[in-house]
Amino acid sequence: MFQARWDDIKGRELRHGGHTWELTGDIAIEDSGEVLSVEARQVDGVKGDIARLQFDIDGPPHSLNPGNAGEHFNRLERVGERQYLVVKNEGRTYRYELHRIEYV
């Protein structure tokens, strides 16, 4: 696992599981880049709950290189009920789909 801080993602919000989550900017790149674990704080309901939003690569085997994580956040994207975190790195675009939430 590789830890990183992406300031471009800090403060962005998304809705998932009936709640609104604000991203803190702290991420972990897991499974050789196939999973991005993004720390978030719930901003509605029980405010302040901390969780890790688990985004899995859409279309493996290509994924972000953990050794070259840098700040490559591009955008959050919603398609129907699905949420994506889009990352651009050296001419490549990676789409990670939000699959689960792990409460800390």
Side-chain angles (χ1 to χ4, degrees):
M1 176 170 42
F2 181 83
Q3 301 282 337
R5 176 131 185 110
W6 288 358
D7 289 327
D8 287 350
I9 204 171
K10 184 179 179 182
R12 299 204 185 230
E13 293 184 355
L14 62 84
R15 294 239 351 125
H16 185 75
H19 297 288
T20 301
W21 299 92
E22 180 181 357
L23 307 181
T24 68
D26 292 327
I27 68 160
I29 301 170
E30 303 173 1
D31 298 331
S32 298
E34 294 178 9
V35 176
L36 296 181
S37 180
V38 181
E39 185 177 284
R41 184 176 320 278
Q42 187 177 337
V43 294
D44 63 353
V46 181
K47 292 186 179 184
D49 275 357
I50 301 287
R52 305 229 12 111
L53 308 181
Q54 303 293 317
F55 291 84
D56 298 328
I57 191 73
D58 184 33
H62 303 291
S63 62
L64 185 63
N65 179 352
N68 186 20
E71 277 203 43
H72 302 292
F73 169 74
N74 183 257
R75 67 185 180 275
L76 291 172
E77 186 177 277
R78 184 174 193 93
V79 178
E81 291 298 311
R82 295 181 176 182
Q83 289 277 355
Y84 294 92
L85 187 144
V86 180
V87 176
K88 284 193 175 184
N89 183 7
E90 298 172 2
R92 299 193 100 165
T93 300
Y94 305 101
R95 293 177 77 225
Y96 288 82
E97 183 178 352
L98 177 58
H99 281 281
R100 63 195 174 285
I101 295 175
E102 295 178 0
Y103 288 89
V104 181

